[in-house]
């Protein structure tokens, strides 16, 4: 079930509260780190981009995935006409970690992710990578089998209807395997069509 915040607080304050809890979290061993990675972007952003984790990076920056990964992400967003005012970015795991450490934070951080999505209320979620797909769909999936099509996610809108999710490749994978960029571009075009319906 999606966890929602007290309705007595404005949405911005509710998101600040979630971020404060993330910054003080000790739900798993990753919480011993001094640095956290809450989501970034505006409430009401039409697109929520979900990744897996951020590699360790200096405090005070606004990286979500990593230096090269974020640079590629913004090129992808610009290609479908979206800027920072239209995209909320977050990860399944809120602490910087390695791939080997990711499992520790994946379940511990799920409640934070549910609250973020409930507050942002995007029109569509772009789940980048297998971990993000699993978190958004609520089940183990084959990335190659589910990418490229819209699926109902485990997250709901204010009317109780499932938010739609597009599964695609993580920028980290695209940097390592540029041949997958053509398929990722097809996924982005599908996201664009959902955000700006023809006619």
């Amino acid at each position: 079930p999606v966890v929602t915040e007290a309705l007595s607080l404005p949405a911005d304050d509710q998101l600040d509260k979630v971020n404060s809890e993330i910054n003080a979290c000790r739900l798993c061993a990753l919480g011993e780190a001094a640095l956290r990675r809450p989501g970034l972007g505006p409430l009401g952003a039409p697109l929520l981009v979900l990744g897996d984790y951020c590699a360790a990076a200096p405090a005070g920056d606004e990286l979500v995935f990593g230096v090269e990964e974020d640079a590629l992400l913004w090129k992808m967003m610009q290609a479908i006409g979206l800027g920072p005012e239209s995209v909320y970015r977050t990860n399944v795991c809120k602490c910087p970690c390695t791939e080997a450490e990711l499992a520790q934070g994946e379940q511990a951080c799920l409640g934070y992710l549910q609250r973020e999505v409930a507050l942002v209320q995007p029109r569509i979620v772009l789940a980048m990578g297998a971990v993000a797909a699993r978190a958004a769909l609520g089940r183990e999936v084959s990335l190659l089998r589910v990418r490229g099509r819209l699926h109902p996610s485990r997250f709901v809108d204010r009317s109780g209807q499932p938010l739609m999710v597009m599964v695609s490749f993580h920028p980290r994978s695209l940097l390592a395997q540029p041949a997958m960029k053509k398929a990722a571009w097809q996924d982005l075009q599908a996201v664009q069509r959902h955000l700006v319906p023809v006619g």
Side-chain angles (χ1 to χ4, degrees):
V2 173
V3 181
T4 56
E5 294 292 287
L7 295 179
S8 58
L9 290 174
D12 284 329
D13 291 342
Q14 293 175 40
L15 189 57
D16 287 344
K17 182 175 183 290
V18 173
N19 290 341
S20 295
E21 291 178 24
I22 290 171
N23 285 322
C25 181
R26 294 293 186 275
L27 291 177
C28 74
L30 293 176
E32 299 302 319
L35 186 63
R36 303 291 192 281
R37 290 290 174 200
L40 293 170
L43 291 173
L47 177 64
L48 185 144
V49 174
L50 177 62
D52 45 19
Y53 64 93
C54 180
D61 62 36
E62 293 200 341
L63 295 177
V64 176
F65 298 155
V67 176
E68 294 182 0
E69 293 89 343
D70 277 37
L72 178 56
L73 174 67
W74 284 119
K75 288 180 181 177
M76 296 167 75
M77 295 297 98
Q78 290 166 6
I80 58 170
L82 298 180
E85 73 285 351
S86 301
V87 184
Y88 186 92
R89 299 96 65 203
T90 193
N91 282 307
V92 173
C93 182
K94 306 305 182 186
C95 288
C97 66
T98 65
E99 190 168 347
E101 296 171 321
L102 178 59
Q104 297 180 57
E106 189 173 345
Q107 288 302 314
C109 292
L110 180 58
Y112 298 130
L113 175 60
Q114 291 176 315
R115 291 161 71 189
E116 281 182 297
V117 179
L119 288 167
V120 175
Q121 286 292 294
R123 289 167 58 188
I124 186 172
V125 175
L126 175 60
M128 306 190 84
V131 173
R134 181 167 62 237
L137 296 172
R139 65 183 189 277
E140 197 71 42
V141 294
S142 164
L143 186 65
L144 293 177
R145 289 187 177 183
V146 299
R147 62 145 292 271
R149 292 176 288 119
L150 290 172
H151 303 270
S153 75
R154 74 193 309 173
F155 311 120
V156 298
D157 62 21
R158 290 196 173 92
S159 67
Q161 297 301 307
L163 292 170
M164 301 306 290
V165 60
M166 172 66 68
V167 175
S168 191
F169 302 106
H170 195 285
R172 190 182 306 116
S173 298
L174 297 176
L175 289 168
Q177 302 179 63
M180 297 192 303
K181 288 183 179 180
K182 181 178 180 180
W185 172 235
Q186 294 171 345
D187 301 340
L188 289 175
Q189 289 177 303
V191 168
Q192 185 181 42
R193 287 193 295 270
H194 183 81
L195 291 175
V196 187
V198 176

